[in-house]
Amino acid sequence: MMKGMAKFVVAKLVLVLLVSTTRALSVFDVTKEGAKIGSDINQALTSSWSKACASTIPSKVLIPKGIFLLSPVTLEGPCKAAIEVEVQGTVKALTNSKVTKEGSWITFQRIEHFTLSGGGTFDGQGAKTWGTCGNNFCKTLPINIRFDFIIKGLVHNIKSLNSKQFHINVLGCNDLTFQRVNIIAPADSPNTDGIHIGRSSGINIIDSNIGTGDDCVSIGDGSKNISVTNVKCGPGHGISIGSLGKFEKEEPVLGITVKNCTLTNTDNGVRIKTWPASTVNSASMIHFENIIMNNVSNPILIDQVYCPWNQCNAKVPSRVKLSNISFKRIRGTSSTPVAMKLVCSSGMPCQGVEVADIQLKYLGKEPAKSECSNVKPMISGVVNPPACSSKA
Ligand SMILES: *[C@@H]1O[C@H](CO)[C@@H](O)[C@H](O)[C@H]1NC(C)=O
Ligand SMILES: *[C@@H]1O[C@H](CO)[C@@H](O)[C@H](O)[C@H]1NC(C)=O
Ligand SMILES: *[C@@H]1O[C@H](CO)[C@@H](O)[C@H](O)[C@H]1NC(C)=O
Ligand SMILES: *[C@@H]1O[C@H](CO)[C@@H](O)[C@H](O)[C@H]1NC(C)=O
């Protein structure tokens, strides 16, 4: 009896030891490296990062509660073990528009097993720089946070506020999840895309709120296996694939699922946009399902004649091939009469477009309508407005 008990206790001890060693974590608090509330913590953060990154057991860099300033910084791997940055407080960018060499305020780069967490805020202090750089993306203003070449990462419970340019940019990442990320900037702040993804695979955006001045989520060339679930967007320009076809050597977009999202007062709902007179590319296996639209202009939109500010020859058809695209269970209200617009390329008509269970009402007096060109969608369930009732 006693012997059995002793064995049990020993086994339990071993278990506790095992659990505690696998969960051991070295913590590097930036205030131990000289960070002071109200001043620039760049050096303290950089040196905490270097120590944490060199740790052979999992480590954490901690920015505790309080308001700190931070000048542009690149936190770079590879690190010796898993690494987490926990931001409990608020870090504020300086109001000038200095950038890292990657064009950001903060870059996390070349890290495997990375976590960003803590409930804290990244305040880009963008207000004074908005509009100083024209309407296009311009490299002289910093992106709030860049994630470059992250493999296996989780970004959760953080807030990005008033970025000067995009809030979050994802490039060359694989298996990176954003959960409970809150993004806030005013509707009229230019180029403040929420999360832009390019050349990445296995990216998940879940349970997040994004209200900003440009696209909520934008998915650029080379994006594969991306899912956007339970995301609330608005204000902003909606969830967008593209624009595609503007540049040489773009890579295909493949496997995008947007589901269970709500868009409120946005300038577009779910859209795919490609340039006329474009380079050759393709986008396929793109599924939008279970989406609620509240007062959205252009709730459902394929736009293969996307050419803002007449930057292209709109007469030459787009050479981006769109195929296997579905719009299912999309309901709510449109602030423009054309609630569904599927304008495909005359040079490369869309293929395998499926439209099912659509209930969209125009908020004005007339019934909502749809416009289509160069597409013959498969239609199922109740679709209102009727799909492709007139030509675009
Ligand atoms: C898609 O990405 C997820 C990670 O987000 C991964 O688990 C899954 O295996 C990937 N699927 C494909 C087909 O690459
Ligand atoms: C869809 O969203 C609703 C509310 O926003 C949530 O309750 C539900 O669990 C979500 N469903 C899925 C499959 O994520
Ligand atoms: C609907 O959206 C338009 C802009 O697209 C906006 O001006 C208007 O205030 C919104 N209406 C409501 C009720 O939110
Ligand atoms: C589109 O779907 C069809 C039928 O399911 C399939 O045969 C084809 O390979 C798909 N094309 C692409 C580019 O995914």
PDB file of all heavy atoms in Angstrom, residues 94-107:
ATOM      1  N   LEU A  94       7.180  57.655 -32.782  1.00  0.00           N
ATOM      2  CA  LEU A  94       7.441  59.094 -32.774  1.00  0.00           C
ATOM      3  C   LEU A  94       6.561  59.699 -33.881  1.00  0.00           C
ATOM      4  O   LEU A  94       6.096  58.997 -34.772  1.00  0.00           O
ATOM      5  CB  LEU A  94       8.925  59.363 -33.023  1.00  0.00           C
ATOM      6  CG  LEU A  94       9.864  58.596 -32.067  1.00  0.00           C
ATOM      7  CD1 LEU A  94      11.323  58.939 -32.327  1.00  0.00           C
ATOM      8  CD2 LEU A  94       9.515  58.833 -30.602  1.00  0.00           C
ATOM      9  N   THR A  95       6.348  61.002 -33.839  1.00  0.00           N
ATOM     10  CA  THR A  95       5.441  61.578 -34.834  1.00  0.00           C
ATOM     11  C   THR A  95       6.136  61.870 -36.165  1.00  0.00           C
ATOM     12  O   THR A  95       5.496  62.179 -37.150  1.00  0.00           O
ATOM     13  CB  THR A  95       4.759  62.858 -34.310  1.00  0.00           C
ATOM     14  OG1 THR A  95       5.770  63.707 -33.800  1.00  0.00           O
ATOM     15  CG2 THR A  95       3.756  62.542 -33.221  1.00  0.00           C
ATOM     16  N   ASN A  96       7.477  61.767 -36.206  1.00  0.00           N
ATOM     17  CA  ASN A  96       8.168  61.928 -37.493  1.00  0.00           C
ATOM     18  C   ASN A  96       7.923  60.674 -38.345  1.00  0.00           C
ATOM     19  O   ASN A  96       7.319  59.720 -37.880  1.00  0.00           O
ATOM     20  CB  ASN A  96       9.667  62.188 -37.283  1.00  0.00           C
ATOM     21  CG  ASN A  96      10.386  60.990 -36.677  1.00  0.00           C
ATOM     22  OD1 ASN A  96      10.040  59.840 -36.939  1.00  0.00           O
ATOM     23  ND2 ASN A  96      11.389  61.247 -35.862  1.00  0.00           N
ATOM     24  N   SER A  97       8.400  60.686 -39.597  1.00  0.00           N
ATOM     25  CA  SER A  97       8.106  59.507 -40.414  1.00  0.00           C
ATOM     26  C   SER A  97       9.358  58.682 -40.701  1.00  0.00           C
ATOM     27  O   SER A  97       9.478  58.093 -41.764  1.00  0.00           O
ATOM     28  CB  SER A  97       7.377  59.924 -41.690  1.00  0.00           C
ATOM     29  OG  SER A  97       7.975  61.047 -42.250  1.00  0.00           O
ATOM     30  N   LYS A  98      10.258  58.596 -39.740  1.00  0.00           N
ATOM     31  CA  LYS A  98      11.432  57.714 -39.908  1.00  0.00           C
ATOM     32  C   LYS A  98      10.969  56.261 -40.026  1.00  0.00           C
ATOM     33  O   LYS A  98      10.000  55.858 -39.406  1.00  0.00           O
ATOM     34  CB  LYS A  98      12.345  57.855 -38.685  1.00  0.00           C
ATOM     35  CG  LYS A  98      13.104  59.175 -38.637  1.00  0.00           C
ATOM     36  CD  LYS A  98      14.542  58.955 -38.155  1.00  0.00           C
ATOM     37  CE  LYS A  98      15.367  60.216 -38.287  1.00  0.00           C
ATOM     38  NZ  LYS A  98      15.181  61.105 -37.115  1.00  0.00           N
ATOM     39  N   VAL A  99      11.688  55.493 -40.838  1.00  0.00           N
ATOM     40  CA  VAL A  99      11.342  54.080 -41.045  1.00  0.00           C
ATOM     41  C   VAL A  99      12.572  53.195 -40.864  1.00  0.00           C
ATOM     42  O   VAL A  99      13.701  53.661 -40.991  1.00  0.00           O
ATOM     43  CB  VAL A  99      10.784  53.830 -42.476  1.00  0.00           C
ATOM     44  CG1 VAL A  99       9.461  54.527 -42.694  1.00  0.00           C
ATOM     45  CG2 VAL A  99      11.784  54.258 -43.545  1.00  0.00           C
ATOM     46  N   THR A 100      12.345  51.907 -40.600  1.00  0.00           N
ATOM     47  CA  THR A 100      13.433  50.930 -40.635  1.00  0.00           C
ATOM     48  C   THR A 100      13.813  50.718 -42.098  1.00  0.00           C
ATOM     49  O   THR A 100      13.097  51.166 -42.995  1.00  0.00           O
ATOM     50  CB  THR A 100      12.975  49.567 -40.088  1.00  0.00           C
ATOM     51  OG1 THR A 100      11.905  49.107 -40.936  1.00  0.00           O
ATOM     52  CG2 THR A 100      12.474  49.661 -38.658  1.00  0.00           C
ATOM     53  N   LYS A 101      14.861  49.935 -42.331  1.00  0.00           N
ATOM     54  CA  LYS A 101      15.230  49.697 -43.729  1.00  0.00           C
ATOM     55  C   LYS A 101      14.160  48.906 -44.476  1.00  0.00           C
ATOM     56  O   LYS A 101      14.071  48.948 -45.685  1.00  0.00           O
ATOM     57  CB  LYS A 101      16.619  49.050 -43.842  1.00  0.00           C
ATOM     58  CG  LYS A 101      16.735  47.672 -43.263  1.00  0.00           C
ATOM     59  CD  LYS A 101      18.157  47.139 -43.406  1.00  0.00           C
ATOM     60  CE  LYS A 101      18.280  45.675 -43.013  1.00  0.00           C
ATOM     61  NZ  LYS A 101      17.800  45.380 -41.640  1.00  0.00           N
ATOM     62  N   GLU A 102      13.292  48.219 -43.731  1.00  0.00           N
ATOM     63  CA  GLU A 102      12.188  47.507 -44.384  1.00  0.00           C
ATOM     64  C   GLU A 102      10.972  48.412 -44.580  1.00  0.00           C
ATOM     65  O   GLU A 102       9.922  47.962 -45.052  1.00  0.00           O
ATOM     66  CB  GLU A 102      11.747  46.290 -43.559  1.00  0.00           C
ATOM     67  CG  GLU A 102      12.825  45.278 -43.250  1.00  0.00           C
ATOM     68  CD  GLU A 102      13.655  45.654 -42.015  1.00  0.00           C
ATOM     69  OE1 GLU A 102      13.085  46.188 -41.049  1.00  0.00           O
ATOM     70  OE2 GLU A 102      14.876  45.421 -42.041  1.00  0.00           O
ATOM     71  N   GLY A 103      11.074  49.656 -44.184  1.00  0.00           N
ATOM     72  CA  GLY A 103       9.949  50.574 -44.384  1.00  0.00           C
ATOM     73  C   GLY A 103       8.878  50.464 -43.310  1.00  0.00           C
ATOM     74  O   GLY A 103       7.700  50.672 -43.590  1.00  0.00           O
ATOM     75  N   SER A 104       9.281  50.128 -42.104  1.00  0.00           N
ATOM     76  CA  SER A 104       8.274  49.957 -41.050  1.00  0.00           C
ATOM     77  C   SER A 104       8.619  50.795 -39.831  1.00  0.00           C
ATOM     78  O   SER A 104       9.700  51.379 -39.717  1.00  0.00           O
ATOM     79  CB  SER A 104       8.247  48.495 -40.610  1.00  0.00           C
ATOM     80  OG  SER A 104       9.437  48.196 -39.907  1.00  0.00           O
ATOM     81  N   TRP A 105       7.675  50.804 -38.892  1.00  0.00           N
ATOM     82  CA  TRP A 105       7.986  51.280 -37.550  1.00  0.00           C
ATOM     83  C   TRP A 105       8.630  50.117 -36.761  1.00  0.00           C
ATOM     84  O   TRP A 105       9.714  50.241 -36.226  1.00  0.00           O
ATOM     85  CB  TRP A 105       6.699  51.781 -36.883  1.00  0.00           C
ATOM     86  CG  TRP A 105       6.808  52.069 -35.420  1.00  0.00           C
ATOM     87  CD1 TRP A 105       7.929  52.482 -34.737  1.00  0.00           C
ATOM     88  CD2 TRP A 105       5.776  51.944 -34.452  1.00  0.00           C
ATOM     89  NE1 TRP A 105       7.624  52.628 -33.402  1.00  0.00           N
ATOM     90  CE2 TRP A 105       6.309  52.304 -33.207  1.00  0.00           C
ATOM     91  CE3 TRP A 105       4.435  51.562 -34.531  1.00  0.00           C
ATOM     92  CZ2 TRP A 105       5.556  52.296 -32.031  1.00  0.00           C
ATOM     93  CZ3 TRP A 105       3.677  51.565 -33.363  1.00  0.00           C
ATOM     94  CH2 TRP A 105       4.242  51.929 -32.123  1.00  0.00           C
ATOM     95  N   ILE A 106       7.948  48.938 -36.806  1.00  0.00           N
ATOM     96  CA  ILE A 106       8.499  47.760 -36.123  1.00  0.00           C
ATOM     97  C   ILE A 106       8.504  46.590 -37.103  1.00  0.00           C
ATOM     98  O   ILE A 106       7.493  46.323 -37.755  1.00  0.00           O
ATOM     99  CB  ILE A 106       7.630  47.378 -34.904  1.00  0.00           C
ATOM    100  CG1 ILE A 106       7.528  48.562 -33.937  1.00  0.00           C
ATOM    101  CG2 ILE A 106       8.186  46.142 -34.199  1.00  0.00           C
ATOM    102  CD1 ILE A 106       6.456  48.389 -32.876  1.00  0.00           C
ATOM    103  N   THR A 107       9.642  45.899 -37.236  1.00  0.00           N
ATOM    104  CA  THR A 107       9.694  44.676 -38.049  1.00  0.00           C
ATOM    105  C   THR A 107      10.082  43.499 -37.160  1.00  0.00           C
ATOM    106  O   THR A 107      11.044  43.592 -36.397  1.00  0.00           O
ATOM    107  CB  THR A 107      10.750  44.777 -39.172  1.00  0.00           C
ATOM    108  OG1 THR A 107      10.430  45.867 -40.031  1.00  0.00           O
ATOM    109  CG2 THR A 107      10.798  43.508 -40.010  1.00  0.00           C
TER     110      THR A 107
END
